[in-house]
Amino acid sequence: MGNVQSSLPTYYNADPTNEAYTHSLSSYVDLASSAIGAKLIRASNERFGAAANLIKPDAPSSQDGKLDAWVTRRHNPEADWAVVRLGSAGTVAGFDIDTRGLDGEHASQVSIQGCLAPESSAVDSHGDVDGAEWEELLPEVDISANSHHLLALWTPTKNPFNFVRITLHPDGGVSRLRILGTVAVSSDSEGEVDLASVNAGARVVHVSDEKLGAKENLILPGRATTASRETRGWKTRRSRSDDHSDWAIVRLGEPGFLTRIELDTLFYDGDQPVSASVQACYTEMENPERDSECFWYQIVPRTELNGNKLHKVDVTLNDVPFSHIKLVIHPDGGISRLRAFGQRVKEIEEEAAREKAEASAEAALAAEIGADVESSESETIEAVIIEAKATVATSEKSEKSEKSESKKDESAQRKKSKKADKQVPRKKKSKGDRDSNDGQDSDQFSSRANEILQSITSPLPKKRTRAKSRAGDDSDDGSVQTTGSQAKRSRRKAKPRNTPAA
């Protein structure tokens, strides 16, 4: 069926009577206020009033006949526009288009667009931001003279914006422009930050009284200045009772572990409270007073305050996360700024998760290296064992071969000796001859023993051909088996053996 554009309006009037003390946009931050760092970048025409008046935090006024508004010349061929860079990027919930002080000089219609671009982006002569496309936030709407036009979006934007462009159709003027929304918290900041700053996403959700100074001033960036009384600080009416106390509840930009509280009484000398204390709690709700289970812990005891002084107090219970703080002043007076320094819970959780992941990675790497080392050692040991076994087997085989060859040589020598003995005729010996023969036999035995030892320890000798005879082979025990037939002479003549003298 294709895309069908809805004919339903995207906005509604949050305060039709212009008299409501609170409305659906009361809890949102003015992202286009110069008090939080907003700046006018460029305007098409400023003939009768500077476009920078749009972002002043105070109410419009007329002095010496000068218009405290942005007013363009008449009869322009094209619509006039002004581009504002917001103090903090954020999602948009609604607008306050203020024409107070303009009666007959106001624009007939206005429209608003937004975009997200680098802060240093330039704006060309057509009102376009380099490298960005405008997205419509508010279509052309009719506006009246001397009025607040509180227009709330039915659904706040999902995407954040940091540039807005207001267009006058066709020309005219607007006194103030408020872009009401929620600050988009940046994750770039690390370590200790001011969680109670409007630029960190903090909001003052409720106060007991703000007769002489707006509650939003408590969380503005920087110290108070004398440029504008409206942004000097939070100030309550006189109570006329020593038992009275006023309070302001601030929702921190993010839950965090608080370490230090700062109470600034700059420009309040004689108007400062007698003393102050700070409490804290944790809840998921916007306003802790609606949470029956929310419990307030005192993190700063009741402390005496001096005028025109910055009071720094260390926080107790700095190991407990908190989402809201409550400033209590006794009995009344003014505080210019409230700071709550600490570390974001999310950052600590991310750091813990990162450390855990790094530890797991190191453990896995160590296990992998250990497995490789163990496998390498096992393979090395196995190879050494196999090599040792092969060496032993080779040695045993060589030793057996040497023994076998030695036995063969020894057997051959014994056979030759016995054959030579048979060929020499034996004479009857005298007792002296027998003794001489015994000595010679002993020497002969020693000589043969030495030959055997030398054959075992020396390199293997060359094999010699055994003499053929009719006599049988030597038996295993070394004895000679003979037959009844006559011994046949060997083909090689045996060397004569030395015989003892007769």
Side-chain angles (χ1 to χ4, degrees), residues 119-131:
E119 291 189 0
S120 59
S121 299
V123 178
D124 62 21
S125 59
H126 300 286
D128 293 326
V129 177
D130 290 346

mmCIF file with all atom_site columns, all heavy atoms in Angstrom, residues 119-131:
data_model
loop_
_atom_site.group_PDB
_atom_site.id
_atom_site.type_symbol
_atom_site.label_atom_id
_atom_site.label_alt_id
_atom_site.label_comp_id
_atom_site.label_asym_id
_atom_site.label_entity_id
_atom_site.label_seq_id
_atom_site.pdbx_PDB_ins_code
_atom_site.Cartn_x
_atom_site.Cartn_y
_atom_site.Cartn_z
_atom_site.occupancy
_atom_site.B_iso_or_equiv
_atom_site.pdbx_formal_charge
_atom_site.auth_seq_id
_atom_site.auth_comp_id
_atom_site.auth_asym_id
_atom_site.auth_atom_id
_atom_site.pdbx_PDB_model_num
ATOM 1  N N   . GLU A 1 119 ? 30.330 20.396 16.177 1.00 0.00 ? 119 GLU A N   1
ATOM 2  C CA  . GLU A 1 119 ? 30.120 21.740 16.715 1.00 0.00 ? 119 GLU A CA  1
ATOM 3  C C   . GLU A 1 119 ? 30.812 22.815 15.898 1.00 0.00 ? 119 GLU A C   1
ATOM 4  O O   . GLU A 1 119 ? 30.375 23.963 15.872 1.00 0.00 ? 119 GLU A O   1
ATOM 5  C CB  . GLU A 1 119 ? 30.593 21.794 18.172 1.00 0.00 ? 119 GLU A CB  1
ATOM 6  C CG  . GLU A 1 119 ? 29.740 20.993 19.130 1.00 0.00 ? 119 GLU A CG  1
ATOM 7  C CD  . GLU A 1 119 ? 30.108 21.233 20.572 1.00 0.00 ? 119 GLU A CD  1
ATOM 8  O OE1 . GLU A 1 119 ? 31.037 22.032 20.823 1.00 0.00 ? 119 GLU A OE1 1
ATOM 9  O OE2 . GLU A 1 119 ? 29.469 20.635 21.454 1.00 0.00 ? 119 GLU A OE2 1
ATOM 10 N N   . SER A 1 120 ? 31.887 22.459 15.235 1.00 0.00 ? 120 SER A N   1
ATOM 11 C CA  . SER A 1 120 ? 32.639 23.443 14.452 1.00 0.00 ? 120 SER A CA  1
ATOM 12 C C   . SER A 1 120 ? 32.086 23.634 13.042 1.00 0.00 ? 120 SER A C   1
ATOM 13 O O   . SER A 1 120 ? 32.676 24.363 12.241 1.00 0.00 ? 120 SER A O   1
ATOM 14 C CB  . SER A 1 120 ? 34.105 23.022 14.373 1.00 0.00 ? 120 SER A CB  1
ATOM 15 O OG  . SER A 1 120 ? 34.224 21.741 13.766 1.00 0.00 ? 120 SER A OG  1
ATOM 16 N N   . SER A 1 121 ? 30.973 22.991 12.731 1.00 0.00 ? 121 SER A N   1
ATOM 17 C CA  . SER A 1 121 ? 30.419 23.082 11.378 1.00 0.00 ? 121 SER A CA  1
ATOM 18 C C   . SER A 1 121 ? 30.009 24.515 11.049 1.00 0.00 ? 121 SER A C   1
ATOM 19 O O   . SER A 1 121 ? 29.474 25.237 11.898 1.00 0.00 ? 121 SER A O   1
ATOM 20 C CB  . SER A 1 121 ? 29.210 22.159 11.231 1.00 0.00 ? 121 SER A CB  1
ATOM 21 O OG  . SER A 1 121 ? 29.576 20.810 11.437 1.00 0.00 ? 121 SER A OG  1
ATOM 22 N N   . ALA A 1 122 ? 30.265 24.905 9.803  1.00 0.00 ? 122 ALA A N   1
ATOM 23 C CA  . ALA A 1 122 ? 29.911 26.251 9.345  1.00 0.00 ? 122 ALA A CA  1
ATOM 24 C C   . ALA A 1 122 ? 28.493 26.269 8.773  1.00 0.00 ? 122 ALA A C   1
ATOM 25 O O   . ALA A 1 122 ? 27.949 25.234 8.377  1.00 0.00 ? 122 ALA A O   1
ATOM 26 C CB  . ALA A 1 122 ? 30.913 26.720 8.297  1.00 0.00 ? 122 ALA A CB  1
ATOM 27 N N   . VAL A 1 123 ? 27.896 27.466 8.744  1.00 0.00 ? 123 VAL A N   1
ATOM 28 C CA  . VAL A 1 123 ? 26.555 27.668 8.197  1.00 0.00 ? 123 VAL A CA  1
ATOM 29 C C   . VAL A 1 123 ? 26.670 28.581 6.987  1.00 0.00 ? 123 VAL A C   1
ATOM 30 O O   . VAL A 1 123 ? 27.277 29.661 7.065  1.00 0.00 ? 123 VAL A O   1
ATOM 31 C CB  . VAL A 1 123 ? 25.616 28.280 9.251  1.00 0.00 ? 123 VAL A CB  1
ATOM 32 C CG1 . VAL A 1 123 ? 24.234 28.523 8.654  1.00 0.00 ? 123 VAL A CG1 1
ATOM 33 C CG2 . VAL A 1 123 ? 25.516 27.368 10.460 1.00 0.00 ? 123 VAL A CG2 1
ATOM 34 N N   . ASP A 1 124 ? 26.105 28.165 5.861  1.00 0.00 ? 124 ASP A N   1
ATOM 35 C CA  . ASP A 1 124 ? 26.222 28.962 4.642  1.00 0.00 ? 124 ASP A CA  1
ATOM 36 C C   . ASP A 1 124 ? 25.157 30.050 4.584  1.00 0.00 ? 124 ASP A C   1
ATOM 37 O O   . ASP A 1 124 ? 24.344 30.227 5.497  1.00 0.00 ? 124 ASP A O   1
ATOM 38 C CB  . ASP A 1 124 ? 26.178 28.065 3.403  1.00 0.00 ? 124 ASP A CB  1
ATOM 39 C CG  . ASP A 1 124 ? 24.863 27.308 3.263  1.00 0.00 ? 124 ASP A CG  1
ATOM 40 O OD1 . ASP A 1 124 ? 23.854 27.744 3.871  1.00 0.00 ? 124 ASP A OD1 1
ATOM 41 O OD2 . ASP A 1 124 ? 24.836 26.299 2.546  1.00 0.00 ? 124 ASP A OD2 1
ATOM 42 N N   . SER A 1 125 ? 25.138 30.766 3.489  1.00 0.00 ? 125 SER A N   1
ATOM 43 C CA  . SER A 1 125 ? 24.240 31.917 3.343  1.00 0.00 ? 125 SER A CA  1
ATOM 44 C C   . SER A 1 125 ? 22.776 31.518 3.179  1.00 0.00 ? 125 SER A C   1
ATOM 45 O O   . SER A 1 125 ? 21.886 32.373 3.216  1.00 0.00 ? 125 SER A O   1
ATOM 46 C CB  . SER A 1 125 ? 24.667 32.758 2.135  1.00 0.00 ? 125 SER A CB  1
ATOM 47 O OG  . SER A 1 125 ? 24.652 31.981 0.940  1.00 0.00 ? 125 SER A OG  1
ATOM 48 N N   . HIS A 1 126 ? 22.527 30.249 3.013  1.00 0.00 ? 126 HIS A N   1
ATOM 49 C CA  . HIS A 1 126 ? 21.141 29.770 2.903  1.00 0.00 ? 126 HIS A CA  1
ATOM 50 C C   . HIS A 1 126 ? 20.649 29.161 4.220  1.00 0.00 ? 126 HIS A C   1
ATOM 51 O O   . HIS A 1 126 ? 19.535 28.654 4.275  1.00 0.00 ? 126 HIS A O   1
ATOM 52 C CB  . HIS A 1 126 ? 21.028 28.727 1.785  1.00 0.00 ? 126 HIS A CB  1
ATOM 53 C CG  . HIS A 1 126 ? 21.407 29.256 0.434  1.00 0.00 ? 126 HIS A CG  1
ATOM 54 N ND1 . HIS A 1 126 ? 20.614 30.117 -0.297 1.00 0.00 ? 126 HIS A ND1 1
ATOM 55 C CD2 . HIS A 1 126 ? 22.526 29.063 -0.316 1.00 0.00 ? 126 HIS A CD2 1
ATOM 56 C CE1 . HIS A 1 126 ? 21.212 30.419 -1.434 1.00 0.00 ? 126 HIS A CE1 1
ATOM 57 N NE2 . HIS A 1 126 ? 22.375 29.782 -1.478 1.00 0.00 ? 126 HIS A NE2 1
ATOM 58 N N   . GLY A 1 127 ? 21.506 29.206 5.229  1.00 0.00 ? 127 GLY A N   1
ATOM 59 C CA  . GLY A 1 127 ? 21.109 28.660 6.514  1.00 0.00 ? 127 GLY A CA  1
ATOM 60 C C   . GLY A 1 127 ? 21.288 27.165 6.633  1.00 0.00 ? 127 GLY A C   1
ATOM 61 O O   . GLY A 1 127 ? 20.691 26.540 7.523  1.00 0.00 ? 127 GLY A O   1
ATOM 62 N N   . ASP A 1 128 ? 22.120 26.586 5.788  1.00 0.00 ? 128 ASP A N   1
ATOM 63 C CA  . ASP A 1 128 ? 22.373 25.138 5.826  1.00 0.00 ? 128 ASP A CA  1
ATOM 64 C C   . ASP A 1 128 ? 23.699 24.866 6.537  1.00 0.00 ? 128 ASP A C   1
ATOM 65 O O   . ASP A 1 128 ? 24.683 25.592 6.337  1.00 0.00 ? 128 ASP A O   1
ATOM 66 C CB  . ASP A 1 128 ? 22.421 24.556 4.416  1.00 0.00 ? 128 ASP A CB  1
ATOM 67 C CG  . ASP A 1 128 ? 21.074 24.622 3.722  1.00 0.00 ? 128 ASP A CG  1
ATOM 68 O OD1 . ASP A 1 128 ? 20.053 24.481 4.423  1.00 0.00 ? 128 ASP A OD1 1
ATOM 69 O OD2 . ASP A 1 128 ? 21.040 24.831 2.489  1.00 0.00 ? 128 ASP A OD2 1
ATOM 70 N N   . VAL A 1 129 ? 23.735 23.801 7.337  1.00 0.00 ? 129 VAL A N   1
ATOM 71 C CA  . VAL A 1 129 ? 24.934 23.392 8.063  1.00 0.00 ? 129 VAL A CA  1
ATOM 72 C C   . VAL A 1 129 ? 25.719 22.428 7.191  1.00 0.00 ? 129 VAL A C   1
ATOM 73 O O   . VAL A 1 129 ? 25.151 21.492 6.607  1.00 0.00 ? 129 VAL A O   1
ATOM 74 C CB  . VAL A 1 129 ? 24.569 22.730 9.410  1.00 0.00 ? 129 VAL A CB  1
ATOM 75 C CG1 . VAL A 1 129 ? 25.818 22.246 10.137 1.00 0.00 ? 129 VAL A CG1 1
ATOM 76 C CG2 . VAL A 1 129 ? 23.796 23.701 10.280 1.00 0.00 ? 129 VAL A CG2 1
ATOM 77 N N   . ASP A 1 130 ? 27.029 22.661 7.101  1.00 0.00 ? 130 ASP A N   1
ATOM 78 C CA  . ASP A 1 130 ? 27.885 21.817 6.259  1.00 0.00 ? 130 ASP A CA  1
ATOM 79 C C   . ASP A 1 130 ? 27.780 20.354 6.672  1.00 0.00 ? 130 ASP A C   1
ATOM 80 O O   . ASP A 1 130 ? 27.920 20.006 7.851  1.00 0.00 ? 130 ASP A O   1
ATOM 81 C CB  . ASP A 1 130 ? 29.344 22.263 6.370  1.00 0.00 ? 130 ASP A CB  1
ATOM 82 C CG  . ASP A 1 130 ? 29.577 23.606 5.700  1.00 0.00 ? 130 ASP A CG  1
ATOM 83 O OD1 . ASP A 1 130 ? 28.701 24.042 4.946  1.00 0.00 ? 130 ASP A OD1 1
ATOM 84 O OD2 . ASP A 1 130 ? 30.643 24.213 5.952  1.00 0.00 ? 130 ASP A OD2 1
ATOM 85 N N   . GLY A 1 131 ? 27.524 19.517 5.671  1.00 0.00 ? 131 GLY A N   1
ATOM 86 C CA  . GLY A 1 131 ? 27.530 18.071 5.893  1.00 0.00 ? 131 GLY A CA  1
ATOM 87 C C   . GLY A 1 131 ? 26.337 17.538 6.662  1.00 0.00 ? 131 GLY A C   1
ATOM 88 O O   . GLY A 1 131 ? 26.386 16.418 7.167  1.00 0.00 ? 131 GLY A O   1
#
